Amino acid sequence: MGANHAHGTAVPSSRRTVVAGLAVLVPLALITLAGLLWLWPQGGKSAPAAQSGVERLSGTVTAVTLEQCPAAAAGSPQPDPATCGDATVRVEDGPDVGKDVTLRLPGGPGAQHFGVGDEVILLRDAEGAYQISDHDRALPLWLFGAAFALAVIAFGRWRGVTALVGLAVTFVLLLTFVIPGILEGRPPMLVAIVGAAAIMLAVLYLTHGFSPSTSMAVLGTMASLTLTGLLSYGALGFARLNGITDDSALALDMSLSIDTQGLLLASIIIGALGVLDDVTVTQAVTVAELAHANPSYGFTRLYRAAGRIGRAHIASVINTIILAYAGASLPLLLLFSIGAQPLGDVLTTPVIAQEIVRSIVGTLGLIAAVPITTALAALTASRRHAAHDEEPADPIGPAAARARRKEEDDDFFAPQADDDDDFFAPQPAHDDVARRDRYATARTAGDAPPGGFFTPQPRPAEPPRPDPAPERPSRHRRRRTGP
């Protein structure tokens, strides 16, 4: 990608700005690349096999036979009548493809309902016995993914395509570097920092192009992410949280000897990155748009104007973060509510305290991202405009200068240089068009009037109006009365 493919407002860049940005970004990229090569998983240690000899196969339910549920013990939950019975399933793959097997419907609390025609997942053990495991959701997920991709591309066009490529890069790095690296015993916090830096550099430049605004967003994101990591490390140590709050963390700690506190730090860093890039890109683009619309604005005015927008953005993002954590922990909150425990006891439990620390640390990182990114972008934009003002007049003429500016700014919503008459712009009247044609003819003949087309020209003398006709007497006269 070059300057022609950058999104947003393109403004001339001074050499000092480019050199200063490269002096920071190039070492950052090299350090990230070295970290990837050093921490890349070798495949020597992995998670233990889930279940030896168990295959996951697909099948289709062809018949369901319900029966009366057995009586439940006193005080036990009553079984769902839709889960009591047998189902006939046709095996779609594996050694018994095309064979119909009769299986018991899954029962118990939270058991799913199965009907005729449902696509299901079957488990086949080493002895050839089958068991219904779950619904097969492959087709709905593919349809949802296709709808998501089409909506992003239809709205974002080329930028939507690059955003999808960046999303693919994020998944690849998470699945091939972050998760396997942690499973191999690498330091979770270090793996998360290197992985987050690689995701940030790849996704931001892929989505928004190589431009000064994107570079300032990258620097602001990296600074805020570093601050978030330091705050997280200090907060977890001060609150004495070790990251073991559920059965999954306990199983990882016992079976794989993973540093659960480092795993918690890694989750905070990766989670904060998803919101930080939104804030930093918004602030950098806002400063660029303000500088483009108001070239006379200096650093102070750009910083204050963009800071007001950033404060409004942060106010809404904070509520978003709290609601997201509350929604993810809603079942747990319901359990605490049923237990009727005091609020102080609930807040000090490890699982709730962990989410509180996560929310506060992430919010502090977001708050710091606004002034950092805004200051960097405002400093860069003010220097760019100062360097642009000091440049001499372009000797190639106004038409070529407009064509050059058009190459530098190809935003979809930006006015193009060849759009002389905008659709919503006031159109000239007929006499103005005629005057312009007369001016062009006179200029060709060599006797153009002084000034230009927009110079006020004297109006031609209007011909004398004819005298108004004498007023005629009214046709309706009064009749005389009397002699």
Side-chain angles (χ1 to χ4, degrees):
M1 288 185 180
N4 293 350
H5 300 283
H7 301 289
T9 302
V11 289
S13 301
S14 65
R15 182 174 299 178
R16 291 182 180 179
T17 302
V18 175
V19 171
L22 292 178
V24 178
L25 291 174
V26 171
L28 176 62
L30 292 177
I31 293 174
T32 302
L33 180 60
L36 285 174
L37 296 177
W38 178 44
L39 297 173
W40 195 268
Q42 304 298 325
K45 178 183 177 182
S46 59
Q51 293 180 6
S52 59
V54 176
E55 297 180 89
R56 285 174 57 90
L57 306 175
S58 60
T60 304
V61 178
T62 59
V64 175
T65 304
L66 297 179
E67 59 186 28
Q68 186 177 2
C69 296
S76 301
Q78 297 296 325
D80 189 349
T83 62
C84 298
D86 299 327
T88 302
V89 182
R90 178 179 293 110
V91 181
E92 301 293 346
D93 53 3
D96 299 325
V97 59
K99 179 181 178 181
D100 290 341
V101 293
T102 302
L103 306 174
R104 191 71 180 171
L105 289 173
Q112 301 187 40
H113 296 179
F114 295 92
V116 177
D118 289 351
E119 303 289 335
V120 297
I121 298 295
L122 299 175
L123 297 181
R124 182 180 184 273
D125 58 17
E127 299 178 357
Y130 287 90
Q131 179 183 355
I132 299 178
S133 174
D134 198 358
H135 283 95
D136 188 357
R137 303 180 181 87
L139 180 60
L141 289 179
W142 278 111
L143 293 177
F144 288 147
F148 168 75
L150 290 176
V152 171
I153 295 175
F155 182 77
R157 300 188 179 184
W158 175 248
R159 185 180 297 189
V161 174
T162 56
L164 292 177
V165 174
L167 183 62
V169 171
T170 300
F171 274 106
V172 168
L173 287 175
L174 288 177
L175 297 178
T176 62
F177 174 73
V178 176
I179 295 177
I182 294 176
L183 290 177
E184 281 194 359
R186 312 282 185 174
M189 185 176 179
L190 188 58
V191 171
I193 291 176
V194 175
I199 291 172
M200 174 191 63
L201 290 171
V203 171
L204 289 184
Y205 280 117
L206 276 174
T207 305
H208 304 282
F210 290 92
S211 65
S213 298
T214 307
S215 299
M216 295 306 104
V218 168
L219 294 178
T221 303
M222 195 62 196
S224 304
L225 203 60
T226 303
L227 179 61
T228 302
L230 295 176
L231 290 175
S232 302
Y233 183 80
L236 294 182
F238 183 73
R240 300 184 181 277
L241 294 173
N242 58 4
I244 299 179
T245 57
D246 53 12
D247 295 337
S248 300
L250 181 61
L252 289 174
D253 182 62
M254 295 180 61
S255 60
L256 300 177
S257 300
I258 292 178
D259 181 10
T260 54
Q261 188 178 43
L263 186 62
L264 177 58
L265 285 171
S267 65
I268 294 176
I269 292 173
I270 294 176
L273 177 63
V275 189
L276 277 176
D277 59 358
D278 175 29
V279 174
T280 54
V281 169
T282 300
Q283 289 303 114
V285 173
T286 298
V287 171
E289 293 293 339
L290 289 173
H292 182 74
N294 304 277
S296 62
Y297 274 17
F299 171 81
T300 303
R301 301 184 71 179
L302 286 174
Y303 181 83
R304 290 178 178 176
R308 288 191 292 268
I309 299 175
R311 285 192 293 271
H313 192 189
I314 286 297
S316 60
V317 169
I318 290 175
N319 192 43
T320 302
I321 294 175
I322 299 301
L323 289 179
Y325 286 134
S329 305
L330 190 58
L332 182 62
L333 296 177
L334 291 176
L335 289 177
F336 284 128
S337 178
I338 294 174
Q341 298 182 15
L343 181 61
D345 296 343
V346 172
L347 295 180
T348 55
T349 56
V351 60
I352 298 297
Q354 175 178 301
E355 298 302 323
I356 292 175
V357 171
R358 189 198 303 266
S359 303
I360 293 176
V361 170
T363 303
L364 291 177
L366 288 177
I367 294 174
V370 171
I372 293 174
T373 309
T374 305
L376 291 173
L379 183 62
T380 304
S382 59
R383 287 188 176 183
R384 287 201 304 264
H385 284 286
H388 178 60
D389 294 339
E390 293 174 359
E391 293 179 358
D394 199 339
I396 62 177
R402 285 196 301 268
R404 177 181 297 177
R405 287 194 300 269
K406 180 178 182 296
E407 294 178 357
E408 295 175 351
D409 189 3
D410 62 342
D411 192 8
F412 179 76
F413 296 99
Q416 303 298 324
D418 54 353
D419 292 339
D420 293 332
D421 294 328
D422 187 45
F423 180 80
F424 296 99
Q427 303 298 324
H430 295 288
D431 55 347
D432 293 336
V433 176
R435 188 182 298 118
R436 182 170 59 186
D437 295 338
R438 290 196 304 269
Y439 176 79
T441 305
R443 185 175 182 180
T444 304
D447 55 350
F453 172 71
F454 295 100
T455 304
Q457 304 296 331
R459 294 185 178 182
E462 297 181 358
R465 296 181 179 180
D467 295 336
E471 183 179 359
R472 296 180 179 181
S474 175
R475 298 174 60 183
H476 303 282
R477 297 180 177 179
R478 293 182 178 181
R479 295 182 179 180
R480 295 182 178 180
T481 57

